[in-house]
Amino acid sequence: MNSEVIRKDTPGCSDKIFLNSAGASLMPKTVVDATIKFLYEEQELGGYAAAVQNAGLINQFYEETAKLINTKPSNIAFAGSSTDGYAKALSSISFKEGDCIITTNDDYISNQIAFISLQKRYHIEIIRVANLPDHELDLEDFERLIKKHNPKLIAVTHIPTNSGLIQNVEGVGKLCKQYDVLYLVDACQSVGQIVVDVENIHCDFLTATGRKFMRGPRGTGFLYVSDKSLNRKMYPLYLDSLGAKWTAFDDYQVHDTAKIFELFERPYAALVGFAEALSYANAIGMDQIESYNRKLADTLRINLQNNDFRVLDKGNRLSSIVTFCQPDGNVEKIHKALSDHKVFFKENRREDALIDFTSKNVDHAIRLSPHYFNTMEEIEKVSQLLENIRH
């Protein structure tokens, strides 16, 4: 992995220290170029002809996504975001009163709200599994809850947006496979920063976004749909002409790939840009990206702890999401120091992660999310800036 080439490919990192890839990362120049080139072709040819002329580039999206997460192109659907794909996956499940969803305390805010919405509409039960003292998921509790409640769905966020925790989605997947329970994984914060392998996770659905660690355009994402789900004829509540064939006045036949979860109208320029971002990451190799990211994040956490900041990330495996505050729980001085020195970051609030932040007794946290275009020198510079406000 050539860091000089990567930084040259990333014009946005030349005049700032960008540590918000968990929000919306910096796109490589090739991603922007691919997106703009397609838009110009739409300008000259119209959208339909441009799509036909660039069928190979469009298919590249499915091929590169499949390569990234170790599956087949036929298992991939384009989505406008991870949440878009998540909602479509949920809509393919026929919930009824008395059904149960088992999830975690650390699932993403939008997912938690979706579950509550289902609960209000269908009177289902939401059960959140216990965490062990080290904050890892309690797999024994998971198995006990599965046996007791026979859940309709198990849903786990791989990496929560509010902490560096990497949840044991593989261990949960083994239980889901053993007990034949539908399994939905939100990989919005993990795809692009660590290796994600759907064969190891044993999930039925997995969602991700383009704008975060994948470094793609906004308005892009994908949904993975397993062969098991496709063979069971699971499809979203609202199909259109891309997902099904109109076979009679009052009937249709669904297609046999994950594209049944897509709609006919898609932002092809953004899709082509996302395909380039996927290709860019695959060319470097997710194993190399993960290894380098771990060094950046580990160094940052150690420096913060050495300067007596309260690091909020808990768990045995931690990611490139680093959350912290001052010992008294405040973040104002941190916020000012970073902003004054053109460090890009995110501030998380209690309502973003209600269960987790309530248990940690914090109202605000600063989130830094280094990525592979960052340098160790930048990590040390930020650490020094923050050390100055503690002494």
Side-chain angles (χ1 to χ4, degrees):
M1 189 169 76
N2 190 321
S3 59
E4 286 186 15
V5 171
I6 290 167
R7 286 182 69 81
K8 187 177 179 181
D9 288 344
T10 312
C13 69
S14 63
D15 62 344
K16 66 182 74 69
I17 299 179
F18 190 90
L19 296 175
N20 192 21
S21 286
S25 192
L26 298 177
M27 289 184 285
K29 187 175 184 299
T30 55
V31 171
V32 178
D33 289 345
T35 305
I36 292 173
K37 183 175 183 292
F38 194 94
L39 283 172
Y40 277 126
E41 293 194 22
E42 288 190 332
Q43 173 183 278
E44 295 300 321
L45 304 173
Y48 282 11
V52 170
Q53 185 164 299
N54 289 280
L57 285 177
I58 292 164
N59 286 334
Q60 186 183 7
F61 159 74
Y62 301 94
E63 293 163 1
E64 294 290 348
T65 306
K67 180 180 178 182
L68 185 80
I69 63 171
N70 189 28
T71 188
K72 305 185 298 295
S74 58
N75 295 107
I76 300 299
F78 176 80
S81 67
S82 183
T83 303
D84 175 41
Y86 205 90
K88 288 173 179 173
L90 285 176
S91 80
S92 73
I93 304 170
S94 300
F95 289 104
K96 61 183 186 298
E97 186 171 347
D99 283 341
C100 166
I101 294 176
I102 296 178
T103 187
T104 75
N105 291 320
D106 291 283
D107 257 53
Y108 181 51
I109 175 176
S110 295
N111 305 344
Q112 300 275 15
I113 290 171
F115 303 149
I116 296 167
S117 176
L118 288 168
Q119 184 182 53
K120 290 178 180 294
R121 178 166 296 193
Y122 296 112
H123 306 289
I124 65 170
E125 187 174 8
I126 303 169
I127 296 173
R128 298 181 179 93
V129 72
N131 291 97
L132 295 168
D134 61 4
H135 212 75
E136 293 293 320
L137 292 174
D138 187 339
L139 294 184
E140 289 186 6
D141 188 44
F142 241 122
E143 186 167 20
R144 180 185 65 81
L145 292 172
I146 290 170
K147 289 178 177 178
K148 180 179 179 181
H149 296 281
N150 187 27
K152 192 71 168 273
L153 175 70
I154 286 177
V156 178
T157 294
H158 196 179
I159 297 178
T161 191
N162 51 282
S163 79
L165 173 69
I166 302 177
Q167 301 211 91
N168 185 5
V169 292
E170 295 85 2
V172 176
K174 289 178 182 176
L175 290 173
C176 292
K177 184 178 181 182
Q178 179 182 345
Y179 292 97
D180 193 25
V181 181
L182 279 174
Y183 185 27
L184 169 58
V185 173
D186 178 345
C188 189
Q189 294 288 12
S190 57
V191 165
Q193 71 147 307
I194 65 172
V195 174
V196 175
D197 186 332
V198 293
E199 291 299 313
N200 290 338
I201 297 173
H202 300 296
C203 53
D204 298 291
F205 299 100
L206 180 139
T207 63
T209 195
R211 76 178 190 275
K212 296 182 184 291
F213 289 98
M214 278 312 311
R215 307 181 62 199
R218 293 197 74 174
T220 62
F222 69 81
L223 168 66
Y224 159 79
V225 186
S226 69
D227 286 336
K228 183 179 83 173
S229 300
L230 292 172
N231 291 335
R232 290 183 178 182
K233 303 296 182 185
M234 298 186 69
Y235 54 85
L237 180 61
Y238 296 108
L239 290 155
D240 79 353
S241 58
L242 186 70
K245 180 181 180 181
W246 195 12
T247 56
F249 288 0
D250 295 308
D251 203 5
Y252 57 79
Q253 181 180 344
V254 296
H255 298 309
D256 58 359
T257 73
K259 286 186 180 181
I260 57 176
F261 286 85
E262 295 185 357
L263 297 176
F264 172 79
E265 186 55 34
R266 288 162 288 173
Y268 280 102
L271 184 151
V272 167
F274 190 18
E276 175 59 31
L278 290 153
S279 176
Y280 192 92
N282 280 332
I284 296 171
M286 281 310 310
D287 52 345
Q288 289 199 62
I289 291 173
E290 177 178 351
S291 177
Y292 184 73
N293 281 351
R294 188 181 303 116
K295 291 175 185 176
L296 293 173
D298 286 353
T299 301
L300 181 56
R301 279 195 190 89
I302 290 168
N303 289 350
L304 289 169
Q305 288 166 341
N306 288 343
N307 286 309
D308 298 323
F309 287 98
R310 183 183 171 195
V311 177
L312 302 170
D313 309 318
K314 298 179 180 179
N316 295 328
R317 290 183 65 208
L318 298 178
S319 71
S320 280
I321 295 179
V322 180
T323 58
F324 66 105
C325 60
Q326 292 156 223
D328 60 3
N330 290 324
V331 297
E332 288 85 357
K333 290 182 180 178
I334 304 171
H335 197 291
K336 185 176 188 311
L338 296 176
S339 299
D340 287 350
H341 291 87
K342 293 191 73 173
V343 180
F344 282 48
F345 63 98
K346 173 76 162 54
E347 181 178 332
N348 284 349
R349 305 158 300 169
R350 184 186 287 252
E351 54 263 38
D352 297 327
L354 195 58
I355 299 173
D356 182 50
F357 275 25
T358 299
S359 70
K360 292 173 179 175
N361 194 27
V362 290
D363 291 320
H364 300 271
I366 298 297
R367 184 184 72 186
L368 301 179
S369 46
H371 206 12
Y372 65 93
F373 54 76
N374 291 118
T375 65
M376 199 61 75
E377 289 75 19
E378 289 180 320
I379 297 300
E380 294 298 343
K381 182 175 179 180
V382 169
S383 300
Q384 184 63 53
L385 285 173
L386 295 173
E387 180 182 355
N388 292 341
I389 70 172
R390 294 291 301 135
H391 299 287

